[in-house]
Amino acid sequence: MRKLFFILLSLSLLSNYSCDDGDIITVELEFEDTFEACGESDLVLYKTKEDPSESLSVLITNYSLEDILEVGADNTFNEEKSATFYYRTYNDASLPNDLFCSEIPPNVNIVSDDNSACTAEINTILVEDDNDGILAQLEDINGNGDLEDDDTDGDGLPNYIDADDDGDNILTASENPDPNGDGDLSDAQDTDGDNIPDYLDNDDDGDGVLTRDEENDSQNNNPGNDITDSDVGADYLNPEVNTTVPATAYREHTIIRSYVVTITLFNIDDLGSISYDEYDFGILKDSEIPSTYKSRKITPDFN
């Protein structure tokens, strides 16, 4: 494991300025709402700015980014950790991209370096979606506001994370659930005109053979490439073809995952002219989430 160097200078050059009544004049920290992260065994959260060149960073020892992405059964994570908050100013007109957690610390001119013990409250929310072209809220088939109990094909995956809502091995996104993309599903494709849109219909052409069983040419859990009459198209949309080749498995599903990680700091009070009972450190940039966390794959048990 590479050793990561986190610059831990403590120059404490900021002075305390007092009004006549003894109140401390506080410096406002104006940074972007997002922050970045690095570190394998010690987690460093940071953000920088220029004109003037400054940085804010938070060090949480014996902790990692993976720790705060391990959400519970409710897809959330919340924890408070002891941390150290750093505020630094620099003489450099611009700051290097590897200012933090580089193997060799970059050459920068630090003017002031102050730190304070604090408490970091970490909140993580995981949102999952099937990326099938239908907004999650529109997949509430039961209309009760609970997306978890809407499972049209009974494969154990609620529709909002099921890339194939009707279990016919044709992905929902390929069944034109919202042809013009306006969020109104009333014009969804309905090949056999039975008032059940194709993406919820397990027999799309109404020929009495389940769509998933119309694999007459290649048995690969995808009826879309089985074509007897090229003028009509795939057999599962051709009522004149009703040859049955029973399916034996569902297609693999890819579920897209999106994390929102926010950090709030409490009791920053050892930085001279800077003092915060509570400071919103911001939201972790999506680019900082490892690619291995951005999706998961699952193949439902066949029924």
Side-chain angles (χ1 to χ4, degrees):
M1 181 182 297
R2 297 190 315 171
K3 183 175 181 181
L4 300 179
F5 291 89
F6 180 67
I7 304 172
L8 299 176
L9 303 177
S10 299
L11 303 179
S12 301
L13 299 180
L14 292 180
S15 301
N16 290 350
Y17 296 93
S18 300
C19 299
D20 292 339
D21 60 3
D23 292 335
I24 294 177
I25 299 175
T26 60
V27 173
E28 292 296 325
L29 302 176
E30 297 182 356
F31 285 76
E32 295 291 332
D33 293 335
T34 58
F35 64 87
E36 298 177 73
C38 63
E40 296 178 359
S41 58
D42 295 329
L43 181 62
V44 180
L45 315 172
Y46 64 94
K47 56 175 72 180
T48 62
K49 62 176 289 190
E50 296 176 356
D51 193 25
S53 294
E54 301 173 319
S55 70
L56 302 180
S57 54
V58 178
L59 173 65
I60 307 176
T61 59
N62 300 316
Y63 211 54
S64 70
L65 181 58
E66 286 74 13
D67 289 330
I68 65 180
L69 298 179
E70 294 299 333
V71 298
D74 61 352
N75 282 350
T76 66
F77 173 86
N78 174 267
E79 188 170 37
E80 291 188 357
K81 298 288 291 186
S82 296
T84 306
F85 173 79
Y86 296 85
Y87 169 62
R88 298 188 178 107
T89 63
Y90 307 82
N91 259 336
D92 306 74
S94 60
L95 297 174
N97 293 330
D98 59 349
L99 183 61
F100 293 92
C101 291
S102 56
E103 187 171 356
I104 299 176
N107 184 20
V108 291
N109 298 306
I110 300 177
V111 176
S112 65
D113 185 332
D114 292 272
N115 66 81
S116 171
C118 67
T119 298
E121 182 181 67
I122 304 147
N123 284 284
T124 304
I125 299 174
L126 167 63
V127 177
E128 295 191 315
D129 193 81
D130 51 17
N131 202 27
D132 63 358
I134 304 175
L135 295 175
Q137 58 265 33
L138 297 180
E139 303 212 54
D140 180 14
I141 306 299
N142 294 328
N144 60 2
D146 182 5
L147 295 177
E148 297 297 331
D149 65 359
D150 296 278
D151 181 8
T152 299
D153 55 11
D155 65 355
L157 289 177
N159 287 4
Y160 79 98
I161 57 172
D162 191 339
D164 177 14
D165 293 314
D166 54 8
D168 62 0
N169 279 340
I170 300 295
L171 300 182
T172 293
S174 300
E175 299 196 83
N176 294 317
D178 186 9
N180 58 9
D182 64 355
D184 181 358
L185 305 183
S186 63
D187 58 353
Q189 178 177 297
D190 180 10
T191 298
D192 56 9
D194 63 355
N195 293 320
I196 302 174
D198 285 1
Y199 80 95
L200 296 176
D201 191 343
N202 60 12
D203 178 10
D204 295 306
D205 57 7
D207 63 358
V209 178
L210 295 179
T211 292
R212 71 187 189 190
D213 294 338
E214 298 207 49
E215 289 208 274
N216 305 312
D217 183 39
S218 57
Q219 287 75 56
N220 60 355
N221 302 323
N222 180 13
N225 54 22
D226 294 272
I227 302 172
T228 300
D229 186 341
S230 59
D231 291 332
V232 177
D235 293 347
Y236 81 93
L237 295 177
N238 184 352
E240 299 302 318
V241 178
N242 54 17
T243 305
T244 304
V245 180
T248 59
Y250 287 127
R251 293 176 67 170
E252 181 180 69
H253 290 51
T254 298
I255 299 172
I256 306 303
R257 316 184 91 196
S258 175
Y259 290 84
V260 178
V261 180
T262 58
I263 304 291
T264 305
L265 305 177
F266 296 93
N267 303 321
I268 301 172
D269 55 16
D270 293 330
L271 297 180
S273 58
I274 299 175
S275 179
Y276 283 93
D277 291 332
E278 179 177 336
Y279 181 72
D280 180 3
F281 196 71
I283 302 173
L284 179 67
K285 288 184 177 180
D286 178 68
S287 60
E288 299 297 297
I289 306 295
S291 59
T292 52
Y293 281 83
K294 290 189 174 182
S295 67
R296 65 183 176 100
K297 295 182 182 295
I298 185 172
T299 301
D301 293 334
F302 188 72
N303 58 52

